Coordinates of all heavy atoms in Angstrom, one line a residue:
M1 N 16.8 -11.3 -4.0 CA 15.9 -11.8 -5.1 C 16.4 -13.3 -5.4 O 17.6 -13.6 -5.4 CB 16.0 -11.1 -6.4 CG 15.2 -11.6 -7.4 SD 15.0 -11.0 -9.0 CE 15.4 -9.4 -9.4
E2 N 15.4 -14.2 -5.6 CA 15.7 -15.6 -5.8 C 16.1 -15.7 -7.3 O 15.4 -15.4 -8.2 CB 14.5 -16.3 -5.5 CG 14.6 -17.8 -5.6 CD 13.4 -18.6 -5.2 OE1 12.2 -18.1 -5.5 OE2 13.5 -19.6 -4.6
T3 N 17.2 -16.4 -7.4 CA 17.6 -16.7 -8.8 C 16.9 -17.9 -9.4 O 16.2 -18.6 -8.6 CB 19.1 -17.0 -9.0 OG1 19.4 -18.3 -8.2 CG2 20.0 -15.9 -8.4
I4 N 16.9 -18.0 -10.8 CA 16.2 -19.1 -11.3 C 16.6 -20.4 -10.8 O 15.9 -21.4 -10.6 CB 16.1 -19.0 -12.9 CG1 15.0 -19.9 -13.5 CG2 17.5 -19.3 -13.5 CD1 13.7 -19.5 -13.2
I5 N 18.0 -20.5 -10.6 CA 18.5 -21.8 -10.2 C 18.1 -22.1 -8.8 O 17.6 -23.3 -8.5 CB 20.0 -21.8 -10.2 CG1 20.5 -21.7 -11.8 CG2 20.7 -22.9 -9.6 CD1 22.0 -21.4 -11.9
D6 N 18.0 -21.1 -7.9 CA 17.5 -21.3 -6.5 C 16.0 -21.7 -6.6 O 15.6 -22.5 -5.9 CB 17.7 -20.0 -5.7 CG 19.1 -19.7 -5.4 OD1 20.0 -20.6 -5.5 OD2 19.4 -18.5 -5.2
Y7 N 15.3 -21.1 -7.5 CA 13.9 -21.3 -7.6 C 13.7 -22.8 -8.0 O 12.9 -23.6 -7.6 CB 13.2 -20.4 -8.7 CG 11.8 -20.7 -9.0 CD1 10.9 -20.4 -8.0 CD2 11.5 -21.2 -10.2 CE1 9.5 -20.7 -8.4 CE2 10.1 -21.5 -10.6 CZ 9.2 -21.2 -9.6 OH 7.8 -21.4 -9.8
V8 N 14.3 -23.3 -9.0 CA 14.1 -24.6 -9.5 C 14.7 -25.7 -8.5 O 14.0 -26.7 -8.2 CB 14.9 -25.0 -10.9 CG1 14.9 -26.3 -11.2 CG2 14.3 -24.1 -11.9
M9 N 15.7 -25.2 -7.7 CA 16.2 -26.3 -6.6 C 15.2 -26.3 -5.5 O 15.0 -27.3 -4.9 CB 17.5 -25.7 -6.2 CG 18.6 -25.8 -7.1 SD 18.9 -27.4 -7.8 CE 19.5 -28.2 -6.2
R10 N 14.5 -25.1 -5.2 CA 13.5 -25.2 -4.2 C 12.3 -26.0 -4.6 O 11.8 -26.7 -3.9 CB 13.0 -23.7 -3.9 CG 12.0 -23.6 -2.8 CD 11.7 -22.3 -2.4 NE 11.4 -21.3 -3.4 CZ 10.2 -21.0 -4.0 NH1 9.1 -21.7 -3.5 NH2 10.1 -20.2 -4.9
L11 N 12.0 -26.0 -5.9 CA 10.9 -26.8 -6.3 C 11.2 -28.4 -6.2 O 10.4 -29.1 -5.9 CB 10.6 -26.5 -7.8 CG 9.9 -25.2 -8.2 CD1 9.8 -25.1 -9.7 CD2 8.6 -25.1 -7.4
E12 N 12.5 -28.6 -6.6 CA 12.9 -30.0 -6.6 C 13.0 -30.5 -5.1 O 12.6 -31.6 -4.8 CB 14.3 -30.2 -7.2 CG 14.2 -30.0 -8.7 CD 13.4 -31.2 -9.3 OE1 13.5 -32.3 -8.9 OE2 12.6 -30.8 -10.1
E13 N 13.3 -29.6 -4.2 CA 13.3 -29.9 -2.7 C 12.0 -30.3 -2.2 O 11.8 -31.1 -1.4 CB 14.1 -29.0 -1.9 CG 15.5 -28.9 -2.2 CD 16.2 -27.6 -1.5 OE1 15.5 -26.9 -0.7 OE2 17.5 -27.4 -1.6
E14 N 11.0 -29.5 -2.7 CA 9.6 -29.7 -2.1 C 9.0 -30.9 -2.7 O 8.3 -31.5 -2.0 CB 8.8 -28.4 -2.6 CG 9.3 -27.2 -1.8 CD 8.5 -25.9 -2.3 OE1 7.7 -26.1 -3.2 OE2 8.7 -24.9 -1.7
K15 N 9.4 -31.4 -3.8 CA 9.0 -32.6 -4.4 C 7.4 -32.9 -4.4 O 7.0 -34.0 -4.3 CB 9.7 -33.8 -3.7 CG 11.1 -33.9 -4.0 CD 11.3 -34.4 -5.4 CE 12.8 -34.7 -5.6 NZ 13.1 -34.8 -7.0
T16 N 6.7 -31.8 -4.5 CA 5.3 -32.1 -4.6 C 4.9 -32.3 -5.9 O 3.9 -33.0 -6.2 CB 4.5 -30.7 -4.1 OG1 5.0 -29.6 -4.7 CG2 4.7 -30.5 -2.6
M17 N 5.6 -31.8 -6.9 CA 5.4 -32.1 -8.3 C 6.8 -32.0 -9.0 O 7.6 -31.3 -8.5 CB 4.5 -31.1 -9.0 CG 3.1 -31.3 -8.7 SD 2.1 -30.4 -9.8 CE 0.5 -30.8 -9.4
N18 N 7.0 -32.7 -10.1 CA 8.2 -32.7 -10.8 C 8.3 -31.4 -11.6 O 7.4 -31.2 -12.4 CB 8.4 -34.0 -11.6 CG 9.6 -34.0 -12.3 OD1 10.4 -32.9 -12.5 ND2 10.0 -35.2 -12.8
A19 N 9.3 -30.6 -11.4 CA 9.3 -29.3 -12.2 C 9.4 -29.5 -13.6 O 8.8 -28.7 -14.4 CB 10.5 -28.5 -11.7
L20 N 10.0 -30.5 -14.1 CA 10.0 -30.8 -15.6 C 8.6 -31.2 -16.1 O 8.4 -30.8 -17.3 CB 11.0 -31.8 -15.9 CG 12.5 -31.5 -15.7 CD1 13.4 -32.8 -15.9 CD2 12.9 -30.3 -16.5
D21 N 7.8 -31.7 -15.4 CA 6.4 -32.1 -15.8 C 5.5 -30.8 -15.7 O 4.6 -30.7 -16.5 CB 5.8 -33.1 -15.0 CG 6.6 -34.6 -15.2 OD1 7.2 -34.6 -16.2 OD2 6.5 -35.4 -14.4
V22 N 5.8 -29.9 -14.7 CA 4.9 -28.8 -14.5 C 5.3 -27.6 -15.5 O 4.5 -27.1 -16.1 CB 5.0 -28.3 -13.1 CG1 4.3 -27.0 -12.8 CG2 4.5 -29.4 -12.2
Y23 N 6.5 -27.4 -15.6 CA 7.0 -26.2 -16.4 C 7.2 -26.6 -17.8 O 8.3 -26.3 -18.3 CB 8.2 -25.5 -15.6 CG 7.8 -24.8 -14.3 CD1 8.0 -25.6 -13.1 CD2 7.1 -23.7 -14.4 CE1 7.5 -24.8 -12.0 CE2 6.6 -23.0 -13.2 CZ 6.9 -23.7 -12.1 OH 6.5 -23.0 -10.8
T24 N 6.2 -27.0 -18.5 CA 6.3 -27.1 -20.0 C 5.9 -25.9 -20.6 O 5.3 -25.0 -20.0 CB 5.4 -28.3 -20.3 OG1 4.1 -28.0 -20.1 CG2 5.7 -29.7 -19.7
K25 N 6.3 -25.9 -21.8 CA 5.9 -24.6 -22.6 C 4.4 -24.3 -22.6 O 3.9 -23.2 -22.3 CB 6.4 -24.7 -24.0 CG 6.4 -23.3 -24.8 CD 7.2 -23.4 -26.1 CE 7.3 -22.0 -26.6 NZ 8.2 -21.9 -27.7
I26 N 3.7 -25.3 -22.8 CA 2.1 -25.1 -22.9 C 1.5 -24.7 -21.5 O 0.7 -23.9 -21.5 CB 1.5 -26.4 -23.5 CG1 0.0 -26.0 -23.7 CG2 1.5 -27.5 -22.6 CD1 -0.7 -27.2 -24.7
N27 N 2.1 -25.4 -20.5 CA 1.5 -24.9 -19.1 C 1.9 -23.6 -18.8 O 1.0 -22.9 -18.2 CB 2.1 -26.0 -18.1 CG 1.5 -27.4 -18.2 OD1 0.5 -27.6 -18.7 ND2 2.2 -28.3 -17.6
I28 N 3.1 -23.2 -19.1 CA 3.6 -21.8 -18.8 C 2.7 -20.8 -19.5 O 2.2 -19.8 -19.0 CB 5.1 -21.5 -19.0 CG1 5.9 -22.5 -18.1 CG2 5.5 -20.1 -18.9 CD1 7.4 -22.5 -18.5
Q29 N 2.6 -20.9 -20.8 CA 1.9 -20.1 -21.8 C 0.4 -19.9 -21.3 O -0.1 -18.9 -21.3 CB 2.1 -20.4 -23.1 CG 3.4 -20.2 -23.7 CD 3.5 -20.8 -25.2 OE1 2.9 -21.7 -25.6 NE2 4.4 -20.2 -25.9
D30 N -0.1 -21.2 -21.0 CA -1.6 -21.2 -20.5 C -1.7 -20.3 -19.3 O -2.7 -19.6 -19.1 CB -2.0 -22.6 -20.4 CG -3.4 -22.8 -19.9 OD1 -4.2 -22.2 -20.6 OD2 -3.6 -23.4 -18.9
Y31 N -0.9 -20.6 -18.3 CA -0.9 -19.9 -17.1 C -0.8 -18.4 -17.3 O -1.5 -17.6 -16.7 CB 0.1 -20.4 -16.0 CG 0.1 -19.5 -14.8 CD1 -0.9 -19.6 -13.8 CD2 1.2 -18.5 -14.6 CE1 -0.9 -18.8 -12.7 CE2 1.2 -17.8 -13.4 CZ 0.1 -17.9 -12.6 OH 0.1 -17.1 -11.5
L32 N 0.2 -17.9 -18.1 CA 0.3 -16.5 -18.3 C -0.8 -15.9 -19.0 O -1.1 -14.7 -18.8 CB 1.7 -16.4 -19.1 CG 2.9 -16.7 -18.3 CD1 4.2 -16.5 -19.2 CD2 3.2 -15.9 -17.1
R33 N -1.5 -16.6 -19.9 CA -2.6 -16.0 -20.6 C -3.8 -15.8 -19.7 O -4.4 -14.8 -19.8 CB -3.0 -16.9 -21.7 CG -2.3 -16.7 -23.0 CD -2.9 -17.4 -24.2 NE -2.7 -18.9 -24.2 CZ -1.7 -19.5 -24.7 NH1 -0.8 -18.8 -25.3 NH2 -1.6 -20.8 -24.7
R34 N -4.0 -16.7 -18.8 CA -5.2 -16.6 -18.0 C -4.9 -17.3 -16.6 O -5.2 -18.3 -16.2 CB -6.3 -17.5 -18.5 CG -6.8 -16.8 -19.9 CD -7.6 -17.7 -20.8 NE -8.7 -18.4 -20.1 CZ -9.8 -18.9 -20.6 NH1 -9.9 -18.8 -21.9 NH2 -10.7 -19.5 -19.9
P35 N -4.2 -16.5 -15.6 CA -3.7 -17.0 -14.4 C -4.9 -17.0 -13.4 O -4.6 -17.7 -12.3 CB -2.7 -16.0 -14.0 CG -3.0 -14.7 -14.7 CD -3.6 -15.1 -16.0
E36 N -6.0 -16.5 -13.7 CA -7.0 -16.4 -12.6 C -7.6 -17.8 -12.3 O -7.7 -18.7 -13.2 CB -8.1 -15.4 -13.0 CG -7.8 -14.0 -13.1 CD -7.1 -13.8 -14.5 OE1 -7.2 -14.5 -15.4 OE2 -6.6 -12.7 -14.7
V37 N -8.0 -18.1 -11.1 CA -8.5 -19.3 -10.5 C -9.9 -19.6 -11.3 O -10.1 -20.7 -11.7 CB -8.8 -19.3 -9.0 CG1 -9.5 -20.5 -8.6 CG2 -7.6 -19.0 -8.3
K38 N -10.6 -18.6 -11.6 CA -12.0 -18.8 -12.3 C -11.9 -19.6 -13.6 O -12.9 -20.1 -14.1 CB -12.7 -17.5 -12.5 CG -12.0 -16.5 -13.5 CD -12.8 -15.3 -13.6 CE -12.1 -14.3 -14.6 NZ -12.8 -13.0 -14.7
F39 N -10.7 -19.6 -14.3 CA -10.6 -20.3 -15.6 C -10.2 -21.8 -15.3 O -10.2 -22.5 -16.3 CB -9.6 -19.7 -16.4 CG -10.0 -18.3 -16.8 CD1 -9.2 -17.1 -16.4 CD2 -11.1 -18.0 -17.6 CE1 -9.6 -15.9 -16.8 CE2 -11.5 -16.7 -17.9 CZ -10.8 -15.7 -17.5
D40 N -9.8 -22.2 -14.1 CA -9.3 -23.6 -13.9 C -10.3 -24.6 -14.3 O -10.0 -25.6 -14.7 CB -8.9 -23.7 -12.4 CG -7.6 -23.1 -12.1 OD1 -7.0 -22.5 -13.0 OD2 -7.1 -23.2 -11.0
K41 N -11.7 -24.3 -14.1 CA -12.6 -25.3 -14.3 C -12.8 -25.7 -15.8 O -13.4 -26.8 -16.2 CB -14.1 -24.8 -13.9 CG -14.4 -23.5 -14.6 CD -15.8 -23.0 -14.1 CE -16.2 -21.8 -14.9 NZ -16.4 -20.6 -14.2
E42 N -12.1 -24.9 -16.6 CA -12.2 -25.3 -18.1 C -11.1 -26.3 -18.5 O -11.0 -26.7 -19.6 CB -11.9 -24.0 -18.9 CG -13.0 -23.0 -18.7 CD -12.7 -21.7 -19.5 OE1 -11.7 -21.6 -20.3 OE2 -13.3 -20.6 -19.2
Y43 N -10.3 -26.8 -17.5 CA -9.2 -27.7 -17.7 C -9.5 -29.1 -17.0 O -10.3 -29.1 -16.1 CB -7.9 -27.1 -17.3 CG -7.6 -25.9 -18.0 CD1 -7.9 -24.6 -17.5 CD2 -6.9 -25.9 -19.2 CE1 -7.6 -23.4 -18.1 CE2 -6.6 -24.7 -19.8 CZ -7.0 -23.5 -19.4 OH -6.7 -22.4 -20.0
S44 N -8.7 -30.1 -17.5 CA -8.9 -31.5 -16.7 C -8.4 -31.3 -15.4 O -7.7 -30.3 -15.0 CB -8.0 -32.4 -17.5 OG -6.7 -32.1 -17.4
K45 N -8.6 -32.3 -14.5 CA -8.2 -32.2 -13.1 C -6.7 -32.2 -13.0 O -6.1 -31.4 -12.1 CB -8.7 -33.5 -12.4 CG -10.1 -33.6 -12.2 CD -10.5 -32.5 -11.1 CE -12.0 -32.7 -10.8 NZ -12.5 -31.6 -10.1
E46 N -5.9 -32.9 -14.0 CA -4.5 -32.8 -13.9 C -4.0 -31.4 -14.2 O -3.2 -30.9 -13.4 CB -3.9 -33.8 -14.9 CG -2.4 -33.8 -14.9 CD -1.8 -34.7 -15.9 OE1 -2.6 -35.3 -16.7 OE2 -0.6 -34.8 -16.0
R47 N -4.6 -30.8 -15.2 CA -4.1 -29.4 -15.6 C -4.6 -28.4 -14.5 O -3.8 -27.4 -14.3 CB -4.8 -29.0 -16.9 CG -4.3 -29.7 -18.2 CD -2.9 -29.4 -18.7 NE -2.7 -28.1 -19.0 CZ -3.0 -27.5 -20.2 NH1 -3.5 -28.2 -21.0 NH2 -2.8 -26.3 -20.4
Q48 N -5.7 -28.7 -13.8 CA -6.1 -27.8 -12.7 C -5.0 -27.8 -11.6 O -4.7 -26.8 -11.0 CB -7.4 -28.2 -12.2 CG -8.6 -27.9 -13.1 CD -10.0 -28.2 -12.6 OE1 -10.0 -28.6 -11.4 NE2 -10.9 -28.4 -13.5
E49 N -4.6 -29.1 -11.3 CA -3.5 -29.1 -10.3 C -2.2 -28.4 -10.7 O -1.5 -27.8 -9.9 CB -3.2 -30.6 -9.9 CG -4.3 -31.2 -9.2 CD -4.6 -30.6 -7.8 OE1 -3.7 -30.5 -7.2 OE2 -5.8 -30.4 -7.6
I50 N -1.9 -28.6 -12.0 CA -0.7 -27.9 -12.5 C -0.8 -26.3 -12.4 O 0.1 -25.7 -11.9 CB -0.4 -28.5 -13.9 CG1 0.1 -29.8 -13.8 CG2 0.7 -27.4 -14.6 CD1 0.2 -30.4 -15.3
R51 N -1.9 -25.9 -12.8 CA -2.2 -24.4 -12.8 C -2.2 -23.9 -11.4 O -1.6 -22.9 -10.9 CB -3.6 -24.1 -13.4 CG -3.5 -24.2 -15.0 CD -4.9 -24.0 -15.5 NE -5.5 -22.7 -15.1 CZ -5.3 -21.6 -15.7 NH1 -4.5 -21.6 -16.7 NH2 -5.9 -20.5 -15.3
K52 N -2.8 -24.8 -10.4 CA -2.8 -24.4 -9.0 C -1.4 -24.3 -8.5 O -1.0 -23.4 -7.7 CB -3.6 -25.4 -8.2 CG -3.7 -25.1 -6.7 CD -4.5 -26.2 -6.1 CE -4.5 -26.1 -4.6 NZ -5.3 -27.1 -3.9
Y53 N -0.6 -25.3 -8.8 CA 0.9 -25.3 -8.4 C 1.6 -24.2 -8.9 O 2.3 -23.5 -8.1 CB 1.5 -26.7 -8.8 CG 2.9 -26.9 -8.4 CD1 3.2 -27.3 -7.1 CD2 3.9 -26.7 -9.3 CE1 4.5 -27.5 -6.7 CE2 5.3 -26.8 -8.8 CZ 5.5 -27.3 -7.6 OH 6.8 -27.4 -7.1
I54 N 1.6 -23.9 -10.1 CA 2.2 -22.8 -10.7 C 1.8 -21.4 -10.1 O 2.6 -20.6 -9.7 CB 2.0 -22.6 -12.3 CG1 2.7 -23.8 -13.0 CG2 2.6 -21.3 -12.8 CD1 2.4 -24.0 -14.4
R55 N 0.4 -21.3 -9.8 CA 0.0 -20.1 -9.3 C 0.5 -19.9 -7.9 O 1.0 -18.8 -7.5 CB -1.6 -20.2 -9.2 CG -2.2 -18.8 -8.8 CD -3.7 -18.9 -8.8 NE -4.3 -19.2 -10.1 CZ -4.8 -20.5 -10.3 NH1 -4.9 -21.4 -9.4 NH2 -5.2 -20.8 -11.6
E56 N 0.5 -21.0 -7.1 CA 1.1 -21.0 -5.7 C 2.6 -20.5 -5.7 O 3.0 -19.7 -4.9 CB 0.8 -22.4 -5.0 CG 1.3 -22.3 -3.7 CD 0.6 -21.3 -2.7 OE1 -0.6 -21.0 -3.1 OE2 1.1 -21.0 -1.7
E57 N 3.3 -21.1 -6.6 CA 4.7 -20.8 -6.7 C 5.0 -19.3 -7.2 O 5.9 -18.7 -6.7 CB 5.5 -21.8 -7.7 CG 5.6 -23.2 -7.2 CD 6.4 -23.3 -6.0 OE1 7.4 -22.6 -5.8 OE2 5.9 -24.0 -5.0
D58 N 4.1 -18.9 -8.1 CA 4.2 -17.4 -8.4 C 3.8 -16.6 -7.3 O 4.6 -15.6 -7.0 CB 3.3 -17.2 -9.6 CG 3.3 -15.9 -10.2 OD1 4.5 -15.3 -10.1 OD2 2.4 -15.5 -11.0
R59 N 2.9 -16.9 -6.4 CA 2.5 -16.2 -5.3 C 3.6 -16.1 -4.3 O 4.0 -15.1 -3.7 CB 1.2 -16.7 -4.7 CG 0.6 -15.9 -3.6 CD -0.5 -16.5 -2.8 NE 0.1 -17.8 -2.1 CZ 0.8 -17.7 -1.0 NH1 1.2 -16.6 -0.5 NH2 1.1 -18.9 -0.5
K60 N 4.2 -17.4 -4.0 CA 5.3 -17.4 -3.0 C 6.5 -16.6 -3.4 O 7.1 -15.8 -2.6 CB 5.8 -18.9 -2.8 CG 4.9 -19.8 -2.1 CD 5.5 -21.1 -2.1 CE 4.6 -22.3 -1.5 NZ 5.3 -23.5 -1.5
T61 N 6.8 -16.7 -4.7 CA 7.9 -15.9 -5.2 C 7.7 -14.4 -5.0 O 8.6 -13.6 -4.7 CB 8.2 -16.3 -6.7 OG1 8.4 -17.6 -6.8 CG2 9.4 -15.5 -7.2
K62 N 6.5 -14.0 -5.4 CA 6.1 -12.5 -5.3 C 6.1 -12.0 -3.9 O 6.6 -10.9 -3.5 CB 4.8 -12.2 -5.9 CG 4.8 -12.3 -7.4 CD 3.5 -12.1 -8.1 CE 3.6 -12.1 -9.6 NZ 2.4 -12.1 -10.3
K63 N 5.7 -13.0 -2.9 CA 5.7 -12.7 -1.5 C 7.1 -12.5 -1.0 O 7.3 -11.6 -0.1 CB 4.9 -13.8 -0.7 CG 4.7 -13.4 0.7 CD 3.9 -14.6 1.4 CE 3.7 -14.3 2.8 NZ 2.9 -15.3 3.5
M64 N 8.1 -13.1 -1.6 CA 9.4 -13.0 -1.1 C 10.1 -11.9 -1.8 O 11.3 -11.7 -1.5 CB 10.2 -14.3 -1.4 CG 9.7 -15.5 -0.6 SD 10.6 -17.1 -0.8 CE 11.3 -17.0 -2.3
G65 N 9.4 -11.1 -2.7 CA 10.0 -10.0 -3.2 C 10.6 -10.4 -4.6 O 11.2 -9.5 -5.3
G66 N 10.5 -11.5 -5.1 CA 11.0 -12.0 -6.4 C 10.0 -12.0 -7.5 O 8.8 -11.7 -7.3
V67 N 10.6 -12.2 -8.7 CA 9.8 -12.4 -9.9 C 10.3 -13.6 -10.6 O 11.5 -13.7 -10.8 CB 9.9 -11.1 -10.8 CG1 9.2 -11.3 -12.1 CG2 9.5 -9.8 -10.0
I68 N 9.3 -14.4 -11.1 CA 9.7 -15.6 -11.9 C 10.1 -15.2 -13.3 O 9.3 -14.4 -13.9 CB 8.6 -16.6 -11.9 CG1 8.4 -17.1 -10.5 CG2 9.0 -17.9 -12.9 CD1 7.2 -18.2 -10.5
D69 N 11.2 -15.6 -13.7 CA 11.6 -15.2 -15.1 C 11.0 -16.2 -16.1 O 11.5 -17.1 -16.5 CB 13.2 -15.4 -15.2 CG 13.8 -14.8 -16.5 OD1 12.8 -14.5 -17.4 OD2 15.0 -14.6 -16.6
W70 N 9.8 -15.8 -16.5 CA 8.9 -16.6 -17.4 C 9.7 -16.9 -18.7 O 9.6 -17.9 -19.3 CB 7.6 -16.1 -17.6 CG 6.8 -16.1 -16.3 CD1 6.4 -15.0 -15.6 CD2 6.2 -17.2 -15.6 NE1 5.7 -15.3 -14.5 CE2 5.7 -16.7 -14.5 CE3 6.3 -18.6 -15.7 CZ2 5.1 -17.4 -13.4 CZ3 5.7 -19.4 -14.7 CH2 5.1 -18.8 -13.7
G71 N 10.3 -15.7 -19.2 CA 11.0 -15.9 -20.5 C 12.0 -17.0 -20.4 O 12.2 -17.8 -21.5
Y72 N 12.8 -16.9 -19.4 CA 13.8 -17.9 -19.3 C 13.3 -19.4 -19.2 O 13.8 -20.3 -19.9 CB 14.7 -17.7 -18.0 CG 15.7 -18.7 -17.7 CD1 17.0 -18.5 -18.3 CD2 15.6 -19.8 -16.8 CE1 18.1 -19.4 -18.0 CE2 16.6 -20.6 -16.6 CZ 17.8 -20.5 -17.2 OH 18.8 -21.4 -17.0
L73 N 12.2 -19.5 -18.4 CA 11.6 -20.8 -18.3 C 11.0 -21.3 -19.6 O 11.0 -22.4 -20.0 CB 10.5 -20.8 -17.3 CG 11.0 -20.7 -15.8 CD1 9.8 -20.7 -14.9 CD2 11.8 -22.0 -15.4
L74 N 10.5 -20.4 -20.4 CA 9.9 -20.8 -21.7 C 11.0 -21.2 -22.6 O 10.9 -22.2 -23.4 CB 9.2 -19.6 -22.3 CG 7.7 -19.3 -21.7 CD1 7.2 -18.0 -22.2 CD2 6.9 -20.4 -22.2
N75 N 12.2 -20.5 -22.6 CA 13.3 -20.8 -23.5 C 13.9 -22.2 -23.0 O 14.2 -23.0 -23.8 CB 14.4 -19.8 -23.5 CG 13.9 -18.5 -24.3 OD1 13.1 -18.7 -25.2 ND2 14.5 -17.5 -23.9
A76 N 13.9 -22.4 -21.6 CA 14.4 -23.6 -21.1 C 13.5 -24.8 -21.5 O 14.0 -26.0 -21.8 CB 14.6 -23.5 -19.6
A77 N 12.2 -24.5 -21.6 CA 11.3 -25.5 -21.9 C 11.4 -26.1 -23.4 O 11.2 -27.1 -23.6 CB 9.8 -25.1 -21.6
D78 N 11.9 -25.2 -24.1 CA 12.1 -25.5 -25.6 C 13.3 -26.6 -25.7 O 13.3 -27.3 -26.6 CB 12.5 -24.3 -26.4 CG 11.3 -23.4 -26.8 OD1 10.2 -24.0 -26.8 OD2 11.5 -22.2 -27.1
S79 N 14.2 -26.6 -24.8 CA 15.3 -27.4 -24.9 C 15.0 -28.8 -24.3 O 15.9 -29.6 -24.4 CB 16.5 -26.7 -24.2 OG 16.3 -26.6 -22.8
F80 N 14.0 -29.0 -23.5 CA 13.6 -30.3 -23.0 C 13.0 -31.2 -23.9 O 12.1 -31.1 -24.7 CB 12.8 -30.2 -21.8 CG 13.6 -29.6 -20.7 CD1 13.2 -28.4 -20.1 CD2 14.8 -30.1 -20.1 CE1 13.8 -27.7 -19.0 CE2 15.4 -29.5 -19.1 CZ 14.9 -28.3 -18.6

């Protein structure tokens, strides 16, 4: 199982988006409330890209047999 540190390090290595900009409290809560693609059209282009990125990372993690610790990320987002 991938640890949260490994997960964040993987995001930083990929450098497609800055993890600190993506994993804000509002983006995480928004994704968790309505993760389906059909809701993306209700957001700005920037937010659509963020949602797409989070969804893809969530899918990759699940495919590897892991689970993203959303609670940890939400608590960490409070400290930034």
Side-chain angles (χ1 to χ4, degrees):
M1 181 180 345
E2 184 176 38
T3 67
I4 193 71
I5 293 169
D6 293 336
Y7 175 71
V8 171
M9 293 303 292
R10 181 169 51 88
L11 291 179
E12 288 299 317
E13 288 173 3
E14 291 175 357
K15 289 289 186 192
T16 54
M17 285 193 173
N18 185 341
L20 293 178
D21 293 336
V22 171
Y23 290 100
T24 63
K25 191 170 189 167
I26 192 164
N27 289 338
I28 295 168
Q29 288 175 334
D30 178 54
Y31 172 75
L32 292 175
R33 272 193 285 275
R34 297 166 46 162
E36 297 86 10
V37 175
K38 66 182 179 182
F39 296 115
D40 284 1
K41 64 182 179 240
E42 299 174 12
Y43 299 94
S44 68
K45 290 290 183 191
E46 180 182 3
R47 294 286 301 277
Q48 287 178 19
E49 288 298 314
I50 290 170
R51 288 174 55 84
K52 179 180 175 183
Y53 183 78
I54 293 173
R55 186 178 306 105
E56 183 64 23
E57 289 301 314
D58 191 22
R59 186 193 62 75
K60 284 182 192 175
T61 303
K62 288 177 181 173
K63 186 176 182 180
M64 294 182 338
V67 177
I68 296 175
D69 187 348
W70 296 111
Y72 180 85
L73 287 175
L74 283 169
N75 287 333
D78 281 340
S79 63
F80 292 118

